[in-house]
Amino acid sequence: MTTITDTTNSTTSSTTSGTVNSTVNSTANRTATRGQYRRPDAAQRRTAASGGAPGGRVSVAVYAEDLILQTGMIHQLRVRPEIELLPEAEADRAQVSLVVVDMVDEPTVQLLHRLQRNTSTRTGLVVGFFESGALQTMIECGVAAVLRRGEADQDRLVHLVRAMANGEGVLPGDLLGKLLDHVSSLQRTVLDPRGLTLSTLTAREAEMIRLVSEGCDTAEIAQKTSYSERTVKNVLHEVATRLELRNRAHAVGYAMRHGLI
């Protein structure tokens, strides 16, 4: 699974269907099978490494599983001044990694897990067919954005890349709805019975810090929560230690900034 960059000649003024066909024919003996991600040749690496990205451009590493997907993605991105396509040797410094596949299969999952280990890049998935069961896999692999290939025109691709570079996530509307349903189900069926939440605080911890934020002292918190004062002190001390907070005011500020209460 290797990084894909621009394979078109830099002196070509425009890309036509004939040029694409010529490229495909000339590399037919190197056509990749599913799960074998194409490697840029020496000419590609020299072209991509010939100049750095000016300010404002987003560095992108592209991973594609066959020549057709590779050519299509290159054709869409290479002409946009907002994008800097990176060669394989520099893929680790990419702000955004784009994985272009037909479907989320085992080789794709392995690639996504490998990319997840690089905390300096965010991963987007451009996929032909997205099965409903792949949503959990996408979450576990740290995918920040998803775009269906049928909707992947040039403007949407650039929007996806720039959004990820800005720390945002992008999902089709139907997948966003499924994700919210998934999170709601997780909270209801797994976390609630254990007194846990999706935040870094348990339900009991969040309630006690909320009472602290309302000006309650230890005795009042104990009375309102039906816990002993000793338990209240222990819970608040545990929160302060775990989150490295200096005092109760710091704990309240932290919880409010992070939307925990």
Side-chain angles (χ1 to χ4, degrees), residues 73-122:
M73 186 58 61
I74 289 170
H75 176 68
Q76 297 279 30
L77 293 178
R78 69 179 296 272
V79 297
R80 295 298 292 253
E82 306 99 317
I83 306 298
E84 177 202 14
L85 291 173
L86 295 182
E88 179 186 11
E90 301 179 31
D92 286 345
R93 75 173 180 85
Q95 294 169 267
V96 171
S97 293
L98 281 183
V99 176
V100 191
V101 293
D102 285 326
M103 62 185 299
V104 180
D105 55 11
E106 185 57 33
T108 302
V109 171
Q110 292 175 4
L111 173 62
L112 292 174
H113 277 306
R114 179 166 67 81
L115 294 175
Q116 189 178 22
R117 294 195 290 270
N118 183 358
T119 57
S120 64
T121 186
R122 305 188 77 216

Side-chain angles (χ1 to χ4, degrees), residues 28-93:
N29 60 330
R30 295 186 291 118
T31 301
T33 57
R34 172 172 296 283
Q36 297 178 333
Y37 292 84
R38 301 187 59 82
R39 180 185 302 275
D41 59 25
Q44 289 175 264
R45 293 192 290 271
R46 287 195 299 271
T47 299
S50 61
R57 297 177 73 190
V58 180
S59 55
V60 179
V62 178
Y63 299 78
E65 63 183 353
D66 60 44
L67 180 62
I68 301 300
L69 298 182
Q70 170 194 355
T71 303
M73 186 58 61
I74 289 170
H75 176 68
Q76 297 279 30
L77 293 178
R78 69 179 296 272
V79 297
R80 295 298 292 253
E82 306 99 317
I83 306 298
E84 177 202 14
L85 291 173
L86 295 182
E88 179 186 11
E90 301 179 31
D92 286 345
R93 75 173 180 85

